[in-house]
Amino acid sequence: GAGVSQSPSNKVTEKGKDVELRCDPISGHTALYWYRQSLGQGLEFLIYFQGNSAPDKSGLPSDRFSAERTGESVSTLTIQRTQQEDSAVYLCASSFGPNGNTIYFGEGSWLTVV
Amino acid sequence: QKEVEQDPGPLSVPEGAIVSLNCTYSNSAFQYFMWYRQYSRKGPELLMYTYSSGNKEDGRFTAQVDKSSKYISLFIRDSQPSDSATYLCAMMADRGSTLGRLYFGRGTQLTVWP
């Protein structure tokens, strides 16, 4: 497809389980971003990749969160030992570079921890 | 003080009205200014992008940036019911340690009634 693709679109998991969220960026986009949006809250920055390196991972809320990226392609965000406060929409975006004019978002992965 | 402030609304206007949305910010390093539209349970959609100061027009949408006042605006002319959504402002520096990180406002919820 032409846009940023995320999977799964919805995930319900039990507290304490690990989850893995996947993002396929737009072809040719070297930069990839993960954000989190909680109910009634703004978008919270998690991590930014340029290629497969992460110049800024300071937004990851705890060591239970990790992310990796293969080349300039797929990225996975992993949340270990999920907690109820992890329930949110996890949004991935990509762009040609770390500038503002071409940052496009996917539809998000809706995570519910019960 | 948050980096970006945006009145969450809600804002309700009749069809055909001119809508004015705005954000203020505190970080003088911001150079990229974006407006995103987000429909319910969808990812943010890039509407307008401006680099540094000035105005930009695209159809019924006009974006303005006043860096001296640290104030940005989005105007929607001849508003339509299909414009009903949450509008998010976002900003980014063009250099430094936060390159690649978008700072978002909380979003303004807009309803245009027929």
Side-chain angles (χ1 to χ4, degrees), chain B residues 8-111:
Chain B
L11 186 60
S12 181
V13 301
E15 183 175 356
I18 297 174
V19 175
S20 173
L21 305 167
N22 53 75
C23 292
T24 58
Y25 64 96
S26 56
N27 190 341
S28 57
F30 289 152
Q31 292 283 3
Y32 297 105
F33 302 93
M34 283 73 69
W35 287 94
Y36 286 85
R37 178 174 62 194
Q38 188 174 27
Y39 292 112
S40 180
R41 296 194 67 86
K42 295 290 187 182
E45 171 193 6
L46 180 63
L47 268 182
M48 300 287 285
Y49 150 81
T50 308
Y51 177 74
S52 193
S53 285
N55 296 355
K56 189 168 189 176
E57 187 173 320
D58 184 2
R60 296 184 296 110
F61 298 90
T62 300
Q64 292 184 349
V65 175
D66 181 350
K67 292 185 67 181
S68 62
S69 302
K70 296 189 175 66
Y71 186 90
I72 71 170
S73 301
L74 177 70
F75 297 95
I76 307 174
R77 291 182 298 280
D78 187 25
S79 55
Q80 302 295 310
S82 58
D83 295 329
S84 299
T86 296
Y87 289 79
L88 300 155
C89 63
M91 308 175 190
M92 181 191 286
D94 66 349
R95 67 197 68 196
S97 62
T98 62
L99 182 66
R101 182 187 296 216
L102 273 174
Y103 292 84
F104 281 87
R106 291 276 299 271
T108 299
Q109 186 179 343
L110 171 68
T111 300

Side-chain angles (χ1 to χ4, degrees), chain A residues 6 11 43 62 105:
Chain A
Q6 292 187 247
K11 176 74 174 179
L43 274 82
S62 76
F105 281 82

Side-chain angles (χ1 to χ4, degrees), chain A residues 6-106:
Chain A
Q6 292 187 247
S7 61
S9 53
N10 287 283
K11 176 74 174 179
V12 179
T13 191
E14 292 182 352
K15 179 181 172 181
K17 295 284 178 70
D18 297 352
V19 296
E20 195 171 275
L21 308 176
R22 175 187 167 108
C23 174
D24 270 289
I26 293 171
S27 178
H29 280 191
T30 59
L32 185 146
Y33 317 80
W34 283 98
Y35 284 80
R36 179 169 72 173
Q37 188 174 32
S38 303
L39 187 63
Q41 302 295 316
L43 274 82
E44 174 189 12
F45 170 83
L46 297 179
I47 189 169
Y48 149 62
F49 287 93
Q50 180 59 43
N52 63 0
S53 65
D56 189 355
K57 56 180 76 173
S58 61
L60 295 175
S62 76
D63 59 7
R64 296 186 296 105
F65 288 72
S66 63
E68 62 180 25
R69 187 179 185 197
T70 307
E72 294 182 352
S73 184
V74 172
S75 175
T76 55
L77 176 69
T78 302
I79 309 172
Q80 295 179 309
R81 305 181 303 282
T82 52
Q83 304 294 313
Q84 287 186 328
E85 61 262 28
D86 299 334
S87 297
V89 182
Y90 290 83
L91 290 159
C92 177
S94 70
S95 69
F96 283 112
N99 56 33
N101 65 331
T102 56
I103 298 179
Y104 297 101
F105 281 82

